[in-house]
Amino acid sequence: MAPIDGTFDYDLAVIGGGSGGLACAKEAVNHGARVAVLDYVTPSPQGTKWGLGGTCVNVGCIPKKLMHQAALLGESIHEAISYGWEVPSPDAIKINWSALTEAVQNHIKSVNWVTRVDLRDKKIEYINGLGEFKDPHTLVATLKNGTKRELTARNIVIAVGGRPHYPDIPGALEYCISSDDIFSLGHPPGKTLVVGAGYIGLECAGFLNSLGFSATVLVRSVPLRGFDQQMALMVTNEMEERGVAFHHKCIPLSVEKLESGQLKARWQNTETGEQAEDVFDTVLMATGRYALTKALNLPAAGVTAVTGSGKIAAQTEQTDVAHVYAVGDVLEGRPELTPVAIHAGRLLARRLFADGLQHMDYENVATTVFTPLEYGCVGLSEEAALDRYGEESIEVYHAFYKPTEFFIPQRNIRNCYLKAVAERGGAQRVLGLHFVGPVAGEVIQGFAAAIKCGLTMEQLMNTVGIHPTVAEEFTRLNITKRSGKDPNPASCCS
Amino acid sequence: MSKAICKGLRSPIRSLINLRRAKTISTSLVHNETILVKNNEEFVNKVMNNDKPVIVNFHAEWCEPCKILTPKLKELIEPLDNLDLAIVDVEDNAELVHTFEVKAVPAVIAVKNGLIVDKFIGLVDADMITNLIDRMSGKKKPS
């Protein structure tokens, strides 16, 4: 119950100590608020748990990027030979999985610690308990030892994020792992089946394959659904050419454990009805993530703006209960990205405690899929642009390109491709940029700022490129899809 | 340089001294064993109230440089009978970390008669370490 005299324990209570929650909490104390952060990790079906910091730090962006880097470095060692490095016994080069996971986990633990020290320094109360609503202004945190702690707050921010979804098939929960488990897996994953072809599934299959563990992907409908499909095809083509097996239009039926300890997975092609099976050492479920709203007891708060998927509908991060807000992956219809949660969390804290007026702009958020050959993009996909403006009003500029560094080691350039989707008329405002190639994230970031400034094709074409880079290819775009001309490059520098 | 450090860090020491002292009083050790600090009381008794100067090493298991520095400190200090080494695991001693404003590991603080006389952060070179140890064990005059 809200205290009769209107005093609350805290000005702000944040449920969830991840990217969004912590950013909001830290910004709030900067403006003088008394803040408490609740964070708790329910162990995964396989028993994995982790410390403060949320998904990104512990089982998301950070370990993913580190493992992606490990995979790339493995490739680099071999490429180095063609550049003249004398590498003794190249065939003997292999990954030590436990050394890799130890290094990754050590880094994560250092981040957990710095996060805790930071909260303490900023005088933010950190409660390691699972939070739920008792009434609109009261939360109950259940700690690991079962004890409960009640607290009241004038404002509450729900930043609980999500967890991996498991398909409802025999053997899924008992034998399969998810992204929650892969980054700290206590034994090398071996031959792996990845169920799901969203960015999590593809990134995992990608680095596992590059590290030397055979990877197979089951794709239910299309890879990277929601992303530009032409680019998604480039990404999967590259992965296939590197040895990742794809089974399209397939859904998993069951996973059983054999006497050898290995797993036998059965799946079915939804178009042909055909069933198939194979034996794997590891089966990794990457079939989507669900928001952790059920455990919150939202009805006790009076919050009803919850969609069928469990996410919270809150256009301006404010729910249908005025003092209850939501930020991050838990929000309906918003990009599930760390920088989005951080930015939205900060702006929200400013609106609550510093008379801020700025609202989060969720449009034109850049992102990158860190598959072995990366895919970076900002703005609309070609499909979305065609849908919104119509074919007659869109111009798509595209090109294949050959990174200078690829020639000597004879790296595959077949999937090095980029395109700009723009308005057809006038100066041709750029609606979307798409790039498949090395360091795609680094390439796209600057262009995200350009698009925010209203970048046009005219400006892009008048920008002088930096040579030799892959990013300069955006400044060299001049062939349109409409023209039908060959988008393959003739040679460098002309 | 030491004076400024002493000045700035005197108040944290005071707040530690004001902590409730342990009911049992630990006897001073005859031979030189590394002190593994498990809680504030132990720190007050064995470091603050130590007759000998103490080198306090803030350590974390997940920190690679710590894995190099800590054994080195043990190797250099254990043979000495007029200088002690205390190891504070940052995961188990959140309050000490906060009191001494340790923001990064490894961190080394030199304590003499309950006062901080020196501090360094990160894996410093062997010369700096031996220099500090010599000064603390009385081999060299303090700078």
Side-chain angles (χ1 to χ4, degrees), chain A residues 102 105-107 109-114 116-117 120-121 123, chain B residues 61-64 67 90-91 94-95 97-98 102-105:
Chain A
E102 190 182 329
Q105 291 304 313
N106 279 348
H107 174 67
K109 289 195 182 107
S110 76
V111 178
N112 294 144
W113 180 71
V114 169
R116 282 203 316 277
V117 168
R120 211 190 164 124
D121 282 352
K123 304 214 187 346
Chain B
E61 278 307 302
W62 37 255
C63 163
E64 279 304 312
K67 293 191 185 155
V90 297
E91 298 277 0
E95 266 190 55
V97 164
H98 185 68
V102 173
K103 298 273 164 59
V105 275

Side-chain angles (χ1 to χ4, degrees), chain A residues 257 319 387 420 455:
Chain A
K257 194 157 193 173
T319 67
D387 209 47
L455 180 72

Side-chain angles (χ1 to χ4, degrees), chain A residues 18 71 187 424 426 432 493:
Chain A
H187 54 271
R424 194 172 174 192
C493 316

Side-chain angles (χ1 to χ4, degrees), chain B residues 35-92:
Chain B
I35 306 161
L36 294 170
V37 179
K38 293 271 178 292
N39 52 56
N40 292 345
E41 271 98 323
E42 204 174 341
F43 189 82
V44 171
N45 284 338
K46 297 188 185 169
V47 178
M48 307 299 292
N49 294 343
N50 198 323
D51 305 323
K52 293 180 271 173
V54 185
I55 301 238
V56 184
N57 169 224
F58 287 83
H59 170 98
E61 278 307 302
W62 37 255
C63 163
E64 279 304 312
C66 294
K67 293 191 185 155
I68 299 170
L69 180 64
T70 302
K72 189 78 197 159
L73 289 173
K74 278 190 185 168
E75 183 196 316
L76 293 172
I77 297 173
E78 262 170 17
L80 304 175
D81 58 5
N82 58 354
L83 176 64
D84 277 348
L85 173 66
I87 298 181
V88 177
D89 188 312
V90 297
E91 298 277 0
D92 301 331

Side-chain angles (χ1 to χ4, degrees), chain A residues 24 26 40 43 53 87 109 117 126 202 219 262 421 474 494:
Chain A
C24 187
K26 291 183 197 176
Y40 191 79
V87 178
K109 289 195 182 107
V117 168
Y126 160 47
L202 293 188
V219 186
Q262 287 181 300
V421 179
F474 274 111
S494 66

Side-chain angles (χ1 to χ4, degrees), chain B residues 9-57:
Chain B
L9 296 170
R10 201 161 287 171
S11 44
I13 300 290
R14 286 233 178 81
S15 66
L16 266 186
I17 290 173
N18 290 335
L19 283 171
R20 194 167 45 87
R21 291 178 191 256
K23 298 216 167 76
T24 58
I25 297 168
S26 59
T27 54
S28 63
L29 300 161
V30 175
H31 60 284
N32 196 0
E33 259 177 28
T34 301
I35 306 161
L36 294 170
V37 179
K38 293 271 178 292
N39 52 56
N40 292 345
E41 271 98 323
E42 204 174 341
F43 189 82
V44 171
N45 284 338
K46 297 188 185 169
V47 178
M48 307 299 292
N49 294 343
N50 198 323
D51 305 323
K52 293 180 271 173
V54 185
I55 301 238
V56 184
N57 169 224

